[in-house]
Amino acid sequence: MNLDFQSVKRPDRASLSYVRRLYEASFPRNEQRPWAQLLRLLSRSEAFHLYLLCEGENPIGFISYWSWSDLLYIEHFAVAAEQRGKGYGSVALRTLCAELSRPMVLEVEPPLEAQARRRIGFYRRLGFVRSELPYSQPAYSETSRPVELSLMFYAAPVAVGSEGFSAYFSYVRQRLYEKVYGVSLSDGSEYPAR
């Protein structure tokens, strides 16, 4: 299986149209960044990336993520419904993990429903570990609300659940709140740079 990551930029209307349809169909409203805000990020943020996932010329999904020197945050990842179960998601994430080789984090719904448990199992099989520490995704806009989620970590510098992990968790949460959601935390969360 040959999967290509094609960078999506503002002028690429066809790719943006595909991503928008899949984005709105795949994520609950409260877990969606307003589309106009996403478009602004494409133009103004060096840390934010949006890629169309393609096999040959055929789009099969997309991934958006934030990249910093010490951490990568996968904000949204979706494979089209008709393409699921074919291994595309696994190939895409394995490729991302191998090529960017740094700690990664993503948000998942708590394992209360079967679909959430399947999603967590999918990420777990790829090497992600779910934290039990409480986490709430801030609201994307004034018309949405915060969402209780969990964080899953890949290649974290401190083992999830170990002594010292809570400091790293606080550091990651602060980074996400401030850089991704524009929310200031004043709890002094710091994690010593390596």
Side-chain angles (χ1 to χ4, degrees), residues 74-176:
I74 299 171
E75 185 170 9
H76 291 98
F77 173 51
V79 172
E82 65 275 10
Q83 301 297 342
R84 292 181 190 146
K86 298 179 181 178
Y88 291 120
S90 297
V91 169
L93 282 181
R94 282 191 183 107
T95 301
L96 196 66
C97 291
E99 288 185 4
L100 299 178
S101 71
R102 70 186 71 139
M104 295 185 188
V105 65
L106 53 82
E107 299 164 334
V108 292
E109 294 169 341
L112 303 176
E113 296 179 8
Q115 184 177 7
R117 288 190 293 274
R118 282 193 301 276
R119 190 172 294 120
I120 289 168
F122 166 77
Y123 290 122
R124 188 174 287 133
R125 288 187 295 279
L126 294 169
F128 285 80
V129 180
R130 183 175 163 267
S131 169
E132 296 290 333
L133 295 174
Y135 175 80
S136 179
Q137 178 194 64
Y140 271 116
S141 69
E142 292 178 7
T143 60
S144 63
R145 58 180 168 72
V147 181
E148 294 302 315
L149 298 173
S150 296
L151 292 181
M152 291 190 79
F153 293 83
Y154 175 85
V158 178
V160 173
S162 69
E163 185 177 328
F165 176 73
S166 65
Y168 182 69
F169 180 93
S170 294
Y171 167 77
V172 169
R173 184 186 64 208
Q174 181 172 349
R175 170 77 58 86
L176 299 182

